[in-house]
Amino acid sequence: MEAWRCMRRGYGRCVVGRGRYPMLPHHQRSLGRDWTTPWENLQRCCWNRHISSCMRWPGHYSRAPYPYFSSRHFSLNWRPPCLFESRTQFQYWNWRPDNLSQTSLIHLSSSIMNSEGDEPSSKRRKHQGTIKRHWEYICSHNKENTKILGDENVDPICEDSENKFDFSVMSYNILSQNLLEDNSHLYRHCRRPLLHWSFRFPNILKEIKHYDADVLCLQEVQEDHYGTEIRPSLESLGYHCEYKNRTGRKPDGCAICFKHSKFSLLSVNPVEFYRPDVPLLDRDNVGLVLLLQPKIPSGDSPAICVANTHLLYNPRRGDIKLTQLAMLLAEISSVAHQKNGSFHPIIMCGDFNSVPGSPLYSFIKDGKLNYEGLAIGKVSGQEQSSRGQRILSIPIWPPNLGISQNCVYEVQQVPKVEKTDSDPTQTQLDKTEVLETAEKLSSHLQHHFSLSSVYSHYFPDTGIPEVTTCHSRNAITVDYIFYSGEKKDVAGEPGTEVALVGGLKLLARLSLLTEEDLWTVNGLPNENNSSDHLPLLAKFRLEL
């Protein structure tokens, strides 16, 4: 192991002495924890410096492991030589060093070999290429039939109607540069140049230009980059941008950007999840809620409420996540509430740090959750260890938060009084709040919205999970686009609900990928996709 540690530090230990000297040339190329160097240099280092008898390589075999080789110049099935052990164990290999091209690269990998010794068990791949995603069109030709089409050439306009407003929404966690650098262990599979902001931002902007969404909901937007690059670039593309930075000293936040040509802004409503008077809410996550007015020729259309958030990551603090979600839903209820008691159409995007089927996800979709006896580590479905087993308290948040178990504000804001000639005591409220009477302690949470997920989260043919984020640690779904409308379950398959009367109708969605798909391009980020999340994209129709 000492020799291995030396190797990892770029040194070799001499057989006949105790001194150390550089083992690999200075122009070797670092790939996270792996190295590559021209074959002739390693050959010169290894054979000329007599280190073969002292090196031990980690692997499945105790005495016969070997480095993993890769090169564009020879077959991936090529059997590597025995460099650092006796040749007796591999004497049946017909291998000679001169069989290699002098321009070949040798790859010294830290990956553990499988029992056959053929491939590393690491998920890292060396393949290059681009991610191929296509539009899945959900066309409701009548109330009885709804189908999903995977053909890119299908016309996205599924129905002809004069009373409609079509628009597209993208939700994208663009990976804050500060967070990337603070969590560099998640990106060991990436080449370092691909992680620089100067490389990443042009790729991210290219994606945004390519998909050309009418509304952008962005997470992990770093404040300094937003001011100097992101906002100016998006404004030049015709977007109006609103931003909410995380509280405390956190350098990133959430942004909602929309096209001037499609919407006008009615209200901006930031939500801070940090509350100094509530010990539970000591985290700096935020949300942002906008009320947008579609621009249509008739000028008479309902507004659309668009919300964006990035909930706490910590898998063991489901109590905080549920409370943050309740605060966001309460603000949405306040903003989207209409005088007749109904709600404007709602789109809720973000990184919810919860997996499909988890209690938090089910609460969003079903509108109710009985959390009695639920462990805080099970709320988001991310925690796999025995930690986070404390049971959620009833109620989860204290009464002074001012939010009921129905996820609405309990207390009205102080009214402003304006005097007019006709009515000297006319009262106007800043916001329409829903009054709630004091409730007895209950473990039942509810919200008023009928929310569907744009994505089904599993491929229908195989049952393999869709993935929205992929890095060195895992590949899962945590990003979502939820939308409101009357649900009609199509063939019992999630993600295919449509609004048949009022509300929003899902027309199309940009396909997601499997973990295996993503590792064929070396995971995320890679040369063409510069975040560790995939952008989610959906096309909607507002029935007027």
Side-chain angles (χ1 to χ4, degrees):
M1 289 304 297
E2 173 61 22
W4 172 244
R5 284 193 291 269
C6 295
M7 181 66 186
R8 296 298 300 273
R9 295 173 183 147
Y11 290 88
R13 182 177 293 277
C14 182
V15 177
V16 295
R18 298 184 178 272
R20 293 181 178 179
Y21 46 81
M23 179 177 169
L24 297 178
H26 291 293
H27 57 274
Q28 67 197 23
R29 187 174 302 172
S30 174
L31 294 178
R33 293 180 297 175
D34 297 357
W35 292 323
T36 62
T37 186
W39 165 254
E40 64 273 17
N41 292 339
L42 185 71
Q43 186 183 29
R44 183 168 56 253
C45 291
C46 293
W47 272 268
N48 293 351
R49 293 181 180 175
H50 310 289
I51 65 170
S52 60
S53 62
C54 67
M55 292 300 296
R56 294 292 183 270
W57 291 79
H60 180 78
Y61 300 104
S62 59
R63 292 194 53 81
Y66 46 80
Y68 171 64
F69 297 81
S70 68
S71 172
R72 295 178 302 172
H73 305 287
F74 51 87
S75 169
L76 292 176
N77 295 323
W78 174 80
R79 286 279 186 173
C82 176
L83 298 181
F84 305 113
E85 288 289 343
S86 170
R87 292 179 181 270
T88 57
Q89 291 176 307
F90 304 96
Q91 58 187 351
Y92 56 89
W93 285 354
N94 183 20
W95 176 87
R96 293 186 304 168
D98 56 1
N99 288 341
L100 282 180
S101 163
Q102 292 299 305
T103 60
S104 297
L105 295 180
I106 184 171
H107 179 191
L108 307 182
S109 174
S110 61
S111 304
I112 304 301
M113 303 300 168
N114 62 16
S115 58
E116 287 76 29
D118 292 336
E119 297 177 354
S121 62
S122 165
K123 294 178 181 177
R124 280 176 281 175
R125 302 289 189 266
K126 302 301 177 283
H127 304 301
Q128 301 297 323
T130 59
I131 293 175
K132 293 183 179 180
R133 302 176 66 184
H134 60 272
W135 282 102
E136 298 172 338
Y137 292 102
I138 302 174
C139 303
S140 178
H141 295 290
N142 54 61
K143 293 186 179 181
E144 304 300 328
N145 282 318
T146 298
K147 58 182 179 179
I148 302 176
L149 303 176
D151 189 351
E152 295 181 82
N153 300 317
V154 175
D155 187 355
I157 305 302
C158 299
E159 291 186 33
D160 295 325
S161 174
E162 295 178 358
N163 301 319
K164 62 182 176 61
F165 176 78
D166 293 353
F167 64 100
S168 56
V169 176
M170 172 187 283
S171 182
Y172 195 5
N173 183 326
I174 64 173
L175 181 57
S176 159
Q177 189 66 23
N178 277 20
L179 292 176
L180 182 155
E181 294 169 2
D182 289 345
N183 298 276
S184 58
H185 60 283
L186 299 178
Y187 311 106
R188 290 170 176 168
H189 62 285
C190 303
R191 292 193 294 116
R192 292 184 183 274
L194 304 186
L195 300 179
H196 297 160
W197 178 249
S198 58
F199 179 87
R200 293 177 56 233
F201 178 61
N203 269 356
I204 292 171
L205 189 61
K206 181 180 177 181
E207 280 186 293
I208 292 174
K209 287 181 179 179
H210 174 71
Y211 293 121
D212 195 31
D214 299 314
V215 179
L216 304 175
C217 291
L218 306 178
Q219 304 90 40
E220 290 194 22
V221 180
Q222 193 162 305
E223 186 177 21
D224 55 345
H225 293 156
Y226 173 77
T228 59
E229 297 177 79
I230 298 174
R231 179 174 181 173
S233 297
L234 293 180
E235 287 179 340
S236 70
L237 297 177
Y239 289 97
H240 173 90
C241 302
E242 295 291 339
Y243 178 73
K244 175 57 184 172
N245 194 52
R246 284 205 286 168
T247 50
R249 297 183 178 181
K250 301 299 188 296
D252 65 287
C254 295
I256 299 180
C257 312
F258 60 90
K259 286 189 176 180
H260 291 288
S261 59
K262 298 284 286 189
F263 299 96
S264 57
L265 180 64
L266 296 182
S267 69
V268 180
N269 308 272
V271 186
E272 295 183 354
F273 298 143
Y274 172 76
R275 289 284 296 270
D277 57 331
V278 180
L280 175 68
L281 296 174
D282 59 351
R283 309 304 166 96
D284 295 308
N285 305 83
V286 296
L288 186 60
V289 183
L290 267 56
L291 193 62
L292 303 178
Q293 181 69 52
K295 291 184 177 181
I296 60 174
S298 64
D300 184 19
S301 70
I304 299 174
C305 180
V306 180
N308 183 25
T309 192
H310 189 177
L311 299 185
L312 176 71
Y313 164 73
N314 192 335
R316 298 184 297 278
R317 293 310 304 267
D319 51 346
I320 298 178
K321 295 187 184 192
L322 276 175
T323 307
Q324 291 180 345
L325 176 61
M327 296 174 71
L328 180 68
L329 292 172
E331 187 64 25
I332 293 173
S333 177
S334 174
V335 173
H337 191 270
Q338 301 187 78
K339 292 181 180 180
N340 62 4
S342 63
F343 295 95
H344 291 294
I346 296 166
I347 293 176
M348 187 170 69
C349 301
D351 181 342
F352 290 82
N353 274 314
S354 302
V355 302
S358 65
L360 188 144
Y361 172 87
S362 298
F363 173 52
I364 295 174
K365 288 263 309 218
D366 300 338
K368 58 185 178 180
L369 174 67
N370 181 5
Y371 60 86
E372 183 177 4
L374 180 62
I376 61 174
K378 302 300 182 182
V379 170
S380 66
Q382 297 168 290
E383 181 60 46
Q384 302 298 324
S385 70
S386 59
R387 296 177 294 179
Q389 297 305 306
R390 179 168 59 85
I391 302 301
L392 286 168
S393 61
I394 302 176
I396 299 174
W397 55 82
N400 65 321
L401 181 59
I403 295 177
S404 75
Q405 297 289 289
N406 290 332
C407 299
V408 295
Y409 292 121
E410 287 184 314
V411 181
Q412 286 185 319
Q413 293 185 350
V414 177
K416 294 190 296 186
V417 177
E418 294 183 1
K419 293 183 178 181
T420 65
D421 295 336
S422 60
D423 184 359
T425 59
Q426 183 179 357
T427 301
Q428 295 182 347
L429 297 178
D430 286 340
K431 293 181 179 179
T432 303
E433 303 291 353
V434 180
L435 283 174
E436 293 289 329
T437 59
E439 301 172 349
K440 65 178 181 179
L441 294 180
S442 172
S443 62
H444 293 268
L445 292 181
Q446 292 181 333
H447 66 75
H448 298 294
F449 315 123
S450 177
L451 297 176
S452 301
S453 174
V454 164
Y455 289 92
S456 58
H457 314 308
Y458 297 90
F459 288 90
D461 296 337
T462 62
I464 297 175
E466 296 173 335
V467 165
T468 67
T469 181
C470 178
H471 48 65
S472 294
R473 287 285 180 88
N474 61 16
I476 56 175
T477 286
V478 294
D479 307 279
Y480 303 93
I481 301 177
F482 296 103
Y483 67 100
S484 66
E486 290 189 5
K487 296 183 181 180
K488 180 177 177 64
D489 204 342
V490 180
E493 193 172 318
T496 59
E497 300 91 349
V498 295
L500 298 177
V501 181
L504 295 172
K505 179 188 298 183
L506 176 63
L507 297 181
R509 61 194 177 201
L510 188 65
S511 66
L512 287 174
L513 303 168
T514 67
E515 178 180 5
E516 183 179 1
D517 292 335
L518 288 172
W519 281 114
T520 62
V521 291
N522 203 37
L524 295 173
N526 55 54
E527 291 185 357
N528 299 292
N529 309 90
S530 287
S531 173
D532 58 349
H533 292 248
L534 291 174
L536 278 58
L537 194 60
K539 296 181 180 180
F540 294 101
R541 172 168 293 163
L542 175 63
E543 302 287 357
L544 304 177

